[in-house]
Amino acid sequence: MTKISTIAMQLLGATTLAILSTASQAQTQGKLPVKPLSVGIYVIQAEFATTPAEREQGLMLRTKMGSNEGMVFDFGAPAGVCMWMKNTLIPLSVAFIDIDGRIVNIEDMQPETLDSHCAKRTVNYALEMNLGWFKQKNIKPGMKIEGLPLK
């Protein structure tokens, strides 16, 4: 092997290792604390993102989520919020939830986009589920999510 071939192989190996490391990190990313929520007859195993860093990370780089799993973004106080899907690899639906635990609106979001999906009024929470989950379960605005830490 020539010196150039050796260097090229080393660079290829380092690049491959970096890609695999990132993918592995995404798969083994530690889950946040999980609490059960319910809406109607359905139980959701929801991870809770409560700090700014946890909310910023959200479900980025994950490649799958269980059928009744989701993530709650707890904003701590009523806020006008928008969500986007930067570095998020799975399609999601998000329910924006008010201080009383009632769904304000639900939006569908496509992976790896910067499109804004906003609450129609101030909310305390956003709940992300797999794309179409709310529609499949006939869950609509006005319904109450039980188990949230109401303020």
Side-chain angles (χ1 to χ4, degrees):
M1 237 195 257
T2 67
K3 189 173 186 176
I4 293 175
S5 296
T6 302
I7 291 170
M9 291 300 286
Q10 289 173 340
L11 286 173
L12 180 61
T15 302
T16 302
L17 183 60
I19 291 168
L20 291 174
S21 174
T22 301
S24 175
Q25 184 179 23
Q27 286 297 332
T28 60
Q29 176 185 15
K31 282 194 171 186
L32 298 173
V34 175
K35 298 176 186 174
L37 302 176
S38 63
V39 56
I41 63 170
Y42 302 101
V43 175
I44 301 164
Q45 295 302 318
E47 293 181 58
F48 272 72
T50 57
T51 69
E54 291 169 346
R55 289 191 302 268
E56 185 177 321
Q57 177 65 39
L59 293 168
M60 284 184 182
L61 302 176
R62 299 210 191 166
T63 57
K64 62 183 176 177
M65 188 165 60
S67 60
N68 288 314
E69 294 178 353
M71 181 173 282
V72 170
F73 295 76
D74 183 344
F75 302 108
V81 298
C82 295
M83 310 290 279
W84 67 86
M85 299 285 284
K86 181 180 179 181
N87 298 323
T88 304
L89 307 175
I90 52 178
L92 300 170
S93 293
V94 60
F96 295 100
I97 304 165
D98 70 14
I99 194 167
D100 297 320
R102 297 221 175 261
I103 298 172
V104 172
N105 60 298
I106 299 169
E107 303 293 328
D108 290 339
M109 305 185 295
Q110 294 304 313
E112 299 188 82
T113 64
L114 295 178
D115 300 341
S116 290
H117 305 276
C118 302
K120 291 185 176 178
R121 62 175 192 265
T122 59
V123 295
N124 283 59
Y125 308 98
L127 171 60
E128 290 181 340
M129 301 293 291
N130 285 311
L131 182 68
W133 188 90
F134 298 101
K135 188 173 185 174
Q136 292 165 1
K137 310 290 191 232
N138 202 29
I139 295 168
K140 299 178 179 182
M143 295 180 77
K144 188 168 184 174
I145 305 288
E146 300 287 346
L148 292 168
L150 301 181
K151 315 287 179 191

